[in-house]
Amino acid sequence: MTRKTLVLVTLTAVLALFAIGAWFVSRPNVTPTATAAPVEQQDQLVRAYSPVLGRKDAPVTIVEFFDPACEACRAFHPIVKQILADNPDDVRVVMRYTPFHGEGSELAIKIIEAARLQDVFMPVLEALLENQPAWASHGASAAERIIQIAATAGLDVNAAATQIKSPSIVGILNQDRADVKAVGIEGTPTFFVNGKRLTDFGPDQLIALVQAEVQATANN
């Protein structure tokens, strides 16, 4: 491929990405599409041990089935944080672990849980997401890099080495894996808002569904 051709191909790709981004930003009047989870699945959406972001007794609950190695989860993280910032009294996020990308995902989840025990959950979570391209080589473990990144965010690595083997953390991962199968999660991130599964996937649709539920709870 000549240099001129390479430049043209690159420019075309950049323009295509810009057009897609502009389409997402400019879409008006987005209507969320959601389906309620079956009654028998409701208890499998939220577990008492699950990490909660935001006010624990908020009337609107977003359940996110999440894989720290998932590129889309990384892209949605700022959107979820903004939803919480915009609705501090009304919305909480319950995180469920979905280790779809092999050993790297599983180790990252265990490290995040160790960070929760050490009260550095958010710094470690955000460091792993921010540096995801450095370790998430889908299907291959990048154990040393994951631990290094977590350490820079405040994780006590020596304590974590014991914590990640504890029955409590192993049990959380195993229960989440079982619930992922029972609920029928096939991709990440998957969102439920007050038990309603977001079926028309996109940032605007998630925001619209959350706002609809916030409004509904305010009217009750």
Side-chain angles (χ1 to χ4, degrees), residues 28 52 56 74 80 82 89 100 119 140 149 162 169 172 189:
V52 177
K56 294 185 182 300
R74 180 181 184 232
V80 171
Q82 189 60 52
D89 295 325
F100 281 166
D119 293 326
I149 292 167
T162 300
I169 288 181
I172 287 170

Side-chain angles (χ1 to χ4, degrees), residues 64-195:
E64 178 182 1
F65 285 87
F66 162 89
D67 186 335
C70 162
E71 295 172 359
C73 294
R74 180 181 184 232
F76 263 87
H77 185 63
I79 297 163
V80 171
K81 286 178 63 179
Q82 189 60 52
I83 290 172
L84 286 172
D86 290 342
N87 303 275
D89 295 325
D90 298 314
V91 178
R92 67 174 185 159
V93 176
V94 175
M95 299 180 66
R96 305 301 308 276
Y97 298 124
T98 314
F100 281 166
H101 293 301
E103 293 179 2
S105 292
E106 292 194 14
L107 177 59
I109 289 167
K110 290 177 180 179
I111 289 292
I112 291 168
E113 278 300 300
R116 184 153 65 124
L117 292 176
Q118 297 181 25
D119 293 326
V120 287
F121 176 83
M122 282 303 294
V124 169
L125 171 64
E126 297 198 333
L128 288 176
L129 289 176
E130 181 180 353
N131 295 281
Q132 186 191 81
W135 63 267
S137 54
H138 296 182
S141 176
E144 184 177 351
R145 190 71 183 121
I146 290 171
I147 292 169
Q148 287 175 347
I149 292 167
T152 64
L155 185 76
D156 181 333
V157 173
N158 291 329
T162 300
Q163 291 167 330
I164 63 174
K165 299 174 185 176
S166 68
S168 61
I169 288 181
V170 172
I172 287 170
L173 184 59
N174 288 341
Q175 184 62 65
D176 276 15
R177 188 183 284 112
D179 287 342
V180 163
K181 183 176 181 180
V183 177
I185 304 301
E186 297 179 346
T188 53
T190 295
F191 294 100
F192 290 78
V193 181
N194 279 359

